[in-house]
Amino acid sequence: MPSSFALQDQTLLSHALDALPFGFAAVSASGELLYANAWVTARLREHEPSGFLGLWEPDSRDRLVAALPLVIPGNGVRELALATVDGAHVRVSLEARPGLPATAAVTIRSAGEGTDGSGAAEDRRVALIEIGNLLRDLEDPADIAYRVAEVLGRTLKVSRAGYGTIDPVAETITVERDWNAPGIQTLAGVLHFRDYGSYIDELTRGVTTVITDARTDPRTAATADALAGITALSFINMPVTERGGFVALLYLNHADPRDWSEEEISFVSEVASRTRVAVERRRAEHELRLLAKDLERQVVERTYERDRVWTLSSDILVVADTDTRLLSVNPAWTAILGWSERDTVGRSYLDFVHPEDISRTQEETGHLAEGETTLRFENRYRTASGDLRTLSWRAVPSEGLIFAVARDVSAERDREAALDVVQEQLRQAQKMDAIGNLTGGVAHDFNNLLQVISGNLQLLAADVSGNERAERRVANAMAGVTRGSKLAAQLLAFGRRQPLAPKVVNIGRFVRDMDELLRRALGEAIEVETVIAGGLWNTLVDPSNVENALLNLAINARDAMNGQGRLTVEAGNALLDDAYAKGYADVRPGQYVMLAVTDTGTGMPQEILGQVFEPFFTTKPEGRGTGLGLSMVYGFVKQSGGHVKIYSEPGEGTTVKIYLPRSTQGEDRVVELDEEGVRGGDETILVAEDDEAVRDTVVGLLTDLGYRVLKARDAESALSIIESGIAIDLLFTDVVMPGPLRSPELARKAVERQPGIGVLFTSGYTENAIVHGGRLDEGVELLSKPYSREALARKIRHVLAGRVPRAPVGPLAAPAPSLPPPHGLPASLRILVVEDDALIRMAVTEMLESRGHTVYEAGDGHEAMRLHGAEAIDILLTDVGLPGMNGVEVAERMREVQPSLPVLFATGDQTANGVQRDARTAIIVKPYGVSDLIDAIGRITRPA
């Protein structure tokens, strides 16, 4: 137990501490009171049971709680500037006591007490101590700036204190956080100095700005209201410079004017300097820590990577000597080649090289032994499973060792090989496209020429009827035309340029229907066997081309069998899978209908098979066959989205397999048309054809068949006739014609103007106008050139029979003769039509004559004046724009002789400048119809 002397000393110490005129207490790091003298005890009685921390105002309590854990032996005395106890300002010192860990001796003096007798000076001294503690203990630069500003603000009793970073170019300060007295708003954010005065110029030079009264200072007088708005009528702005540059600012703001003492300014300057050094030191330390951590991380990562590259590399890494002995291999060796490390190390790498590549590999090893570097060397290695891998090596020699890395390029080489195949196929496709373009261009002109020859021969046949010798010559010439037409069709088929009209057909039924035709074509010495699989799918294909293809294959087979043998025709379902399709660039995997033709003929060697589909290639003797049969089959099948495969061996016969895509649609049953006899008609047909010889020929054929024929040299001319109002039953137009208006657009506009009109296209080569994807557009009718009189007649009747009847509209639905004259109009008038466009003049004449009127035609004003002088004219119908003398002048001159002459101006200009309208003068705007024309005539001929 303690001695009486020790107890006496403790009692004396307690009495001595109670006698102190200031507070003294021992407090734990958590704020628990361990001892209090009489000064503290007296105040504690008023704050029971809140304890020691309850003495302090909230803000002071927070600072005290934050400071207590930092009081440790060796850190010296910590002082808090201007804390508040019971509303009174005090200075607080905290000091650690040796032997009492986590215990602070707290000394509390009233503000103003100090050893120098100056309260303000003591306050500043305490503040510097506290700031020093903060700068030493705090790590975050933003936290340091705020806590320093707080100590400054409390010590100097200002409205606001803060610290911010400067952008000298933009002349702004960025404040993250500032200290503000109660009731004062924060300035945190970005502020522009020029908004508050001109003192930024001083700060930029490193001069401290001191403003006593912003309202009277010339630097701020103009912006005093703005400064008053931020409670800063007086302030100190202390610039912080670094390497000659203005980088930061420590500022004190006061809401009212204030005289700043030299001691206060010096105090702020010292705090600013200390703060800038501490902040930059903390930032530098932070950056150094980050750099150190990054360097440490990089060292660890690189060491880790170095150790793992060997293990995880997807490329083969080996170490060998110049005697080809393997000393070390990484796991990729086993992963790629399948050989284990145990089966590999110590053996020669030549043991694993493909025999054909060993000599090259030995030669490359010799280069390495001589100190040369291998940049790219490829050879083939055997795998443990017996496969081959192509490896690309890079190797360097060093001190008798070879360090090498190899990449498995087997897949790349396979792709390159496949690319070579595709490129070859592309070249073949380009060749086919070139042939197609050539044949398309030739076919257009060639078929037009054949049509001229064919048409004239057919017209001539009627003239020489009964002359046997002449008839024979005409027949021979027609046979030549037929052969030429067939040749052009075969070239178009090979070039995949022929227009297809596909139908959904069942190949099995189709083949059975051709059985008799095949037997007649092949002769009795050839046995024909047909094998049709059950459940056969349908396919979408052009029936006539299937028939031609099958017939061509059968005839080729007959020739290969020298007219004697067995021909087998098979039809069945087939599936071409991905593996098969990969070998052919234009084959899509999927379901197909297979049609195969097999003969027992002589067969062909492999070197010929690659050429059999090329045009004009044939194995037949000279003079037997054109070499276009198989090429036509090939082109048609490819154009239909199918595939052709030929199998043959010498002496073993040949099989040609055609694969046509399956269709899930129902079969289109083709109705056979009665082709016996040729029948014409009396309908009106408009022929649009740019080739004059072809146009004259087809007009002759149609006229010979009894039709009423109108003709146009291009699509625009044809449209003018259609828009004239003449009733047309059928538009017969070439597909390819010059001019901006294309034939398909002409057909569309024709149907819009005359809904009941039929449309029949004709062409020697359609290009892409009415054929897309190799197929005729839906609903399009086409008669290919050259065509016979019989084919023309049948197609015309077919299209006319299938057209939609024109709906009756008003009086036009009735026959022309029965129309009553409007407005008392005489049944027949003598009308002078003046129009420089011959096609329009012809169309208008047709309209008027169809209504029973007598028409006189003139192409210009002078011709019109001549006719007016020679004939009695009831009405003048004239275009406004005429060559030489315009229509207005023509009308004026005629009315000088015949003042009451009714005049109808026809023009494309709706304003019809220069025309004076009256009861005897009217305007009709092009394009116009028959009813428009008749109504206009009725208006100007109405009795007065």
Side-chain angles (χ1 to χ4, degrees):
M1 60 183 297
S3 64
S4 59
F5 179 77
L7 293 174
Q8 186 178 5
D9 285 344
Q10 292 177 7
T11 302
L12 291 173
L13 178 60
S14 177
H15 287 309
L17 293 175
D18 288 340
L20 292 174
F22 53 84
F24 180 84
V27 184
S28 71
S30 63
E32 181 184 358
L33 182 64
L34 305 176
Y35 172 79
N37 71 349
W39 190 94
V40 175
T41 302
R43 286 161 176 76
L44 282 175
R45 293 192 188 100
E46 302 175 10
H47 295 278
E48 292 292 347
S50 56
F52 179 72
L53 295 179
L55 293 172
W56 308 89
E57 295 296 330
D59 188 61
S60 299
R61 183 190 310 125
D62 294 341
R63 291 191 294 133
L64 180 63
V65 170
L68 284 172
L70 303 176
V71 180
I72 56 177
N75 273 4
V77 178
R78 303 180 63 84
E79 299 196 28
L80 302 180
L82 296 180
T84 306
V85 176
D86 284 344
H89 293 300
V90 296
R91 294 191 302 278
V92 183
S93 300
L94 299 93
E95 185 178 3
R97 293 303 182 187
L100 296 174
T103 302
V106 181
T107 303
I108 307 171
R109 291 185 174 86
S110 298
E113 295 182 20
T115 57
D116 60 0
S118 171
E122 175 64 13
D123 290 342
R124 291 194 293 274
R125 185 187 70 79
V126 172
L128 288 174
I129 294 173
E130 183 173 3
I131 288 172
N133 293 333
L134 293 174
L135 298 180
R136 181 183 66 239
D137 297 333
L138 298 177
E139 296 292 336
D140 182 14
D143 198 16
I144 291 174
Y146 172 75
R147 296 293 296 277
V148 168
E150 178 186 19
V151 173
L152 271 177
R154 291 185 181 280
T155 301
L156 298 181
K157 302 179 179 63
V158 296
S159 300
R160 179 187 300 108
Y163 181 88
T165 56
I166 299 299
D167 184 339
V169 176
E171 296 185 340
T172 59
I173 179 172
T174 301
V175 180
E176 293 186 16
R177 185 184 176 195
D178 55 7
W179 176 86
N180 297 274
I184 304 300
Q185 296 293 322
T186 179
L187 292 183
V190 179
L191 287 84
H192 293 263
F193 285 104
R194 296 287 179 185
D195 295 341
Y196 303 100
S198 61
Y199 53 88
I200 178 62
D201 299 326
E202 298 175 354
L203 296 176
T204 303
R205 298 194 302 272
V207 177
T208 298
T209 300
V210 180
I211 301 295
T212 301
D213 189 341
R215 295 169 297 188
T216 59
D217 194 295
R219 294 167 293 179
T220 57
T223 56
D225 291 341
L227 289 166
I230 60 172
T231 59
L233 282 176
S234 59
F235 58 84
I236 297 176
N237 280 356
M238 186 73 63
V240 179
T241 59
E242 186 177 279
R243 297 186 181 93
F246 179 27
V247 295
L249 181 73
L250 181 65
Y251 62 89
L252 300 176
N253 298 160
H254 201 61
D256 302 312
R258 173 171 173 166
D259 291 324
W260 303 94
S261 67
E262 291 295 330
E263 290 80 7
E264 289 175 326
I265 296 173
S266 297
F267 171 61
V268 175
S269 177
E270 183 176 355
V271 171
S273 177
R274 289 188 184 187
T275 302
R276 178 62 184 173
V277 171
V279 167
E280 291 307 313
R281 183 174 66 247
R282 288 294 184 269
R283 286 178 176 163
E285 290 172 352
H286 179 68
E287 291 175 358
L288 285 173
R289 282 194 297 272
L290 291 177
L291 179 60
K293 289 181 180 180
D294 187 59
L295 289 174
E296 181 181 358
R297 178 186 58 79
Q298 291 184 38
V299 170
V300 171
E301 288 179 353
R302 289 175 181 175
T303 302
Y304 180 74
E305 290 171 359
R306 183 190 62 191
D307 293 340
R308 290 177 64 81
V309 161
W310 181 267
T311 303
L312 298 180
S313 173
S314 59
D315 293 336
I316 294 175
L317 304 175
V318 303
V319 180
D321 58 26
T322 53
D323 292 330
T324 73
R325 187 172 70 254
L326 290 166
L327 305 179
S328 182
V329 295
N330 74 331
W333 172 277
T334 303
I336 294 173
L337 299 177
W339 303 103
S340 68
E341 184 177 8
R342 183 180 59 184
D343 296 334
T344 301
V345 173
R347 293 177 60 182
S348 170
Y349 50 72
L350 296 176
D351 294 344
F352 305 98
V353 177
H354 189 281
E356 295 179 2
D357 296 342
I358 288 178
S359 61
R360 292 192 306 107
T361 306
Q362 288 174 324
E363 182 180 353
E364 192 66 26
T365 301
H367 295 323
L368 287 166
E370 294 171 0
E372 298 180 17
T373 299
T374 295
L375 297 179
R376 181 176 294 175
F377 175 77
E378 291 186 10
N379 57 6
R380 290 168 294 174
Y381 269 61
R382 295 182 296 104
T383 67
S385 61
D387 295 330
L388 291 176
R389 294 284 186 180
T390 301
L391 303 181
S392 179
W393 293 92
R394 297 173 65 91
V396 294
S398 178
E399 300 179 356
L401 297 178
I402 298 173
F403 298 88
V405 56
R407 175 159 295 178
D408 182 6
V409 294
S410 303
E412 296 175 22
R413 298 299 169 262
D414 291 342
R415 284 195 296 270
E416 289 172 1
L419 180 60
D420 290 340
V421 173
V422 172
Q423 288 176 336
E424 178 59 33
Q425 293 171 339
L426 175 61
R427 284 190 289 270
Q428 180 70 14
Q430 290 172 336
K431 180 177 72 174
M432 295 292 299
D433 190 57
I435 292 174
N437 290 333
L438 175 62
T439 56
V442 170
H444 180 267
D445 293 336
F446 186 56
N447 283 330
N448 269 351
L449 178 61
L450 289 177
Q451 180 58 44
V452 174
I453 298 171
S454 172
N456 281 283
L457 286 173
Q458 292 173 80
L459 292 172
L460 182 60
D463 297 337
V464 300
S465 178
N467 186 332
E468 183 178 347
R469 184 178 181 184
E471 287 180 344
R472 185 169 62 252
R473 288 178 177 176
V474 169
N476 290 338
M478 283 299 298
V481 170
T482 302
R483 290 179 60 186
S485 174
K486 183 178 180 182
L487 176 63
Q490 288 175 321
L491 285 172
L492 285 175
F494 175 73
R496 309 179 199 180
R497 294 296 196 275
Q498 62 178 332
L500 301 179
K503 305 289 183 184
V504 180
V505 300
N506 183 284
I507 291 294
R509 186 177 294 107
F510 194 86
V511 170
R512 290 191 187 97
D513 292 342
M514 283 189 64
D515 186 71
E516 184 179 349
L517 176 62
L518 287 176
R519 295 182 188 278
R520 285 202 311 266
L522 298 178
E524 296 180 358
I526 294 181
E527 177 186 352
V528 178
E529 181 181 1
T530 303
V531 181
I532 308 298
L536 193 64
W537 296 326
N538 291 337
T539 182
L540 183 65
V541 71
D542 188 317
S544 63
N545 277 279
V546 175
E547 179 178 323
N548 288 337
L550 186 54
L551 198 55
N552 268 296
L553 292 178
I555 292 172
N556 278 347
R558 179 198 64 189
D559 295 343
M561 295 185 290
N562 293 319
Q564 188 171 3
R566 184 175 69 254
L567 180 75
T568 305
V569 180
E570 300 177 73
N573 299 330
L575 176 65
L576 300 183
D577 57 18
D578 293 329
Y580 183 88
K582 285 180 180 179
Y584 304 90
D586 55 352
V587 175
R588 293 184 178 180
Q591 296 175 329
Y592 290 82
V593 176
M594 186 271 296
L595 179 63
V597 177
T598 303
D599 64 55
T600 57
T602 55
M604 291 176 286
Q606 292 298 313
E607 58 268 20
I608 290 180
L609 288 181
Q611 301 175 269
V612 295
F613 292 124
E614 295 183 1
F616 304 112
F617 177 83
T618 179
T619 58
K620 298 176 183 179
E622 186 175 351
R624 293 187 59 188
T626 62
L628 288 172
L630 285 178
S631 63
M632 184 277 291
V633 173
Y634 180 85
F636 151 67
V637 173
K638 291 298 182 183
Q639 192 175 350
S640 301
H643 172 57
V644 183
K645 184 67 176 176
I646 186 167
Y647 306 88
S648 186
E649 291 184 16
E652 298 297 329
T654 301
T655 296
V656 179
K657 290 187 176 182
I658 295 175
Y659 297 90
L660 299 170
R662 177 189 181 183
S663 172
T664 56
Q665 299 176 352
E667 183 179 6
D668 294 327
R669 301 307 298 267
V670 180
V671 179
E672 293 294 333
L673 297 177
D674 181 10
E675 298 185 357
E676 294 182 4
V678 173
R679 184 165 62 91
D682 58 0
E683 290 88 348
T684 300
I685 299 177
L686 172 60
V687 176
E689 170 63 63
D690 62 300
D691 189 303
E692 185 175 356
V694 174
R695 186 172 64 247
D696 291 343
T697 303
V698 70
V699 168
L701 290 173
L702 291 172
T703 303
D704 187 54
L705 288 168
Y707 295 106
R708 183 179 183 188
V709 184
L710 306 175
K711 55 185 178 180
R713 66 178 178 273
D714 55 36
E716 289 182 296
S717 302
L719 183 60
S720 297
I721 296 173
I722 292 169
E723 291 178 338
S724 71
I726 297 175
I728 298 171
D729 297 292
L730 177 71
L731 170 64
F732 185 49
T733 175
D734 193 7
V735 173
V736 182
M737 287 191 295
L741 184 63
R742 303 177 73 233
S743 294
E745 185 67 10
L746 166 64
R748 185 185 65 80
K749 291 185 176 183
V751 174
E752 288 179 355
R753 271 71 167 171
Q754 299 196 26
I757 193 171
V759 178
L760 176 58
F761 290 98
T762 181
S763 181
Y765 173 53
T766 59
E767 293 185 315
N768 294 319
I770 57 174
V771 177
H772 296 89
R775 298 174 179 179
L776 281 173
D777 293 342
E778 185 70 24
V780 170
E781 295 287 352
L782 174 67
L783 180 61
S784 296
K785 298 176 183 177
Y787 45 79
S788 66
R789 179 174 179 271
E790 291 75 13
L792 174 65
R794 283 194 296 270
K795 198 69 174 180
I796 291 287
R797 295 317 308 171
H798 169 72
V799 175
L800 287 173
R803 65 182 179 142
V804 178
R806 184 182 287 107
V809 180
L812 295 180
S818 63
L819 282 173
H823 309 294
L825 185 67
S828 178
L829 293 170
R830 293 162 295 185
I831 302 175
L832 174 56
V833 176
V834 188
E835 170 64 62
D836 60 319
D837 189 308
L839 289 175
I840 297 178
R841 189 169 66 247
M842 179 180 70
V844 173
T845 299
E846 292 275 357
M847 284 190 280
L848 294 173
E849 288 181 343
S850 69
R851 294 303 184 262
H853 301 299
T854 301
V855 179
Y856 302 95
E857 299 181 40
D860 55 39
H862 296 291
E863 176 66 14
M865 294 302 300
R866 188 189 67 78
L867 287 171
H868 184 255
E871 303 289 344
I873 303 299
D874 296 319
I875 297 175
L876 170 64
L877 193 163
T878 179
D879 191 5
V880 174
L882 294 173
M885 185 190 310
N886 66 39
V888 177
E889 294 174 339
V890 170
E892 289 175 349
R893 292 181 60 176
M894 287 186 181
R895 279 180 169 174
E896 291 176 358
V897 178
Q898 187 179 350
S900 62
L901 176 67
V903 179
L904 177 60
F905 290 101
T907 178
D909 181 7
Q910 295 190 16
T911 60
N913 294 331
V915 175
Q916 299 296 324
R917 309 188 192 194
D918 53 37
R920 291 289 181 178
T921 306
I923 295 173
I924 185 169
V925 180
K926 301 175 182 176
Y928 51 82
V930 175
S931 59
D932 299 324
L933 181 61
I934 299 303
D935 287 344
I937 292 174
R939 290 196 301 274
I940 60 177
T941 55
R942 184 183 300 117

